[in-house]
Amino acid sequence: MPRCAVLGSPISHSLSPVMHRAAYAELGLSDWSYDALEVDEDGIGPFLSGLDEAWRGLSLTMPLKRAVIPYLDTVHETGREVGGVNTVIIDVEGRHGFNTDVSGGAAALRERGVHEVEDALVIGAGATAESMVASLRRLGLRRVTLAVRSLDRGALLAERITSAAGGEDAIAVEVVGMGADLARSAEVVVSTVPADAVAPFAQMLAMRCDAVLDVVYDPWPTPLARAAHAEAVPIVSGLDLLAHQGAEQVRLMTGHEVSAVLLRDAALAALSACR
């Protein structure tokens, strides 16, 4: 029986099992299994060492996206670009790391009609913010403002972004603090922080952009999503991102294509059942 799982700590909230199992049912992969397993940074090495030949793939959430890299045999270009992976493929040649958050973010934006982006405001300085900047690069990003609570962390992320995109692909990066500095226009606003942190600025942000991506998906809608809806601004949710990156994970793990819509519908049904 081919085995896959999502790893992280905490992990009980993960919607990945619901989505991947829905994909297996659609594809007729009745012998495949997908579980959620509690694994922290100290446990990732021993866990990988104990895997048998039944294992095909792993989805990774925090805090493992960077911690897993020393245990991999290869890291795909996108994973190297953002310094983290959310997918591990296991085959006879070893363990291979990929980052489907990047392609998933770009696909989710395209689904909502956002095909080109030159200027963006990204709120946050963590791994998700870095992946979303990389997603926007796939859509032509040339300028990004990082709105952060820690200017030191923001400066480190800005350095990684400029290092990853040089030459003709160079991106102009500005780092600002949360607050009045958010009163600026951008084609796309991306929030990678808790919904409450953006709430005081939600209306102002929605009035000054052409699209919003909020990586939060529960509870939904967030204050930023409500403000964007009021301004008739296209909204990409964290669930859209989760579904698109999950569809790419399914393809990498099983070799079969599956619709992101199928995965999103499965996740929505699971969320509704919990309310």
Side-chain angles (χ1 to χ4, degrees):
M1 177 182 289
R3 296 189 65 185
C4 298
V6 57
L7 313 181
S9 183
I11 199 61
S12 60
H13 67 285
S14 177
L15 291 172
S16 291
V18 168
M19 295 195 303
H20 283 252
R21 290 168 187 169
Y24 297 167
E26 176 72 12
L27 295 169
L29 302 177
S30 58
D31 57 337
W32 283 65
S33 69
Y34 190 102
D35 301 298
L37 303 175
E38 187 84 13
V39 179
D40 61 17
E41 290 175 279
D42 293 334
I44 186 61
F47 178 86
L48 291 172
S49 297
L51 298 183
D52 61 28
E53 61 184 13
W55 286 89
R56 299 291 187 272
L58 303 169
S59 306
L60 303 177
T61 186
M62 298 304 292
L64 303 177
K65 293 182 180 183
R66 301 192 193 280
V68 73
I69 289 180
Y71 303 100
L72 302 178
D73 296 292
T74 65
V75 177
H76 186 264
E77 178 183 354
T78 307
R80 295 196 303 271
E81 176 185 346
V82 299
V85 303
N86 72 329
T87 309
V88 175
I89 302 303
I90 303 162
D91 60 24
V92 294
E93 296 179 353
R95 309 175 192 128
H96 313 285
F98 296 81
N99 190 307
T100 67
D101 286 334
V102 174
S103 59
L109 284 161
R110 291 190 185 102
E111 183 185 27
R112 300 300 182 209
V114 181
H115 297 281
E116 295 183 4
V117 178
E118 288 194 3
D119 179 67
L121 170 65
V122 176
I123 305 171
T128 303
E130 189 165 1
S131 292
M132 292 305 95
V133 171
S135 296
L136 293 165
R137 279 191 60 213
R138 273 65 183 168
L139 303 180
L141 185 69
R142 307 302 296 177
R143 298 176 301 279
V144 62
T145 301
L146 303 176
V148 298
R149 287 171 285 189
S150 167
L151 293 178
D152 289 341
R153 288 192 67 193
L156 290 174
L157 176 54
E159 183 178 347
R160 289 197 297 271
I161 291 170
T162 53
S163 296
E168 295 183 355
D169 295 325
I171 296 174
V173 185
E174 181 183 5
V175 180
V176 301
M178 295 282 284
D181 285 335
L182 293 183
R184 60 184 62 208
S185 299
E187 293 174 61
V188 175
V189 170
V190 178
S191 176
T192 69
V193 300
D196 289 347
V198 184
F201 319 105
Q203 183 176 5
M204 175 179 64
L205 291 169
M207 293 175 61
R208 295 172 177 268
C209 71
D210 300 322
V212 161
L213 191 165
D214 194 331
V215 302
V216 174
Y217 59 81
D218 190 34
W220 188 265
T222 62
L224 180 58
R226 286 195 296 269
H229 179 74
E231 296 294 329
V233 170
I235 305 163
V236 180
S237 74
L239 206 58
D240 297 326
L241 170 61
L242 194 64
H244 280 279
Q245 67 83 23
E248 178 65 6
Q249 286 186 334
V250 171
R251 185 189 69 79
L252 289 169
M253 293 177 186
T254 71
H256 298 286
E257 302 277 352
V258 69
S259 168
V261 175
L262 174 76
L263 273 63
R264 182 169 52 221
D265 287 348
L268 281 170
L271 287 172
S272 297
C274 293
R275 290 172 181 152

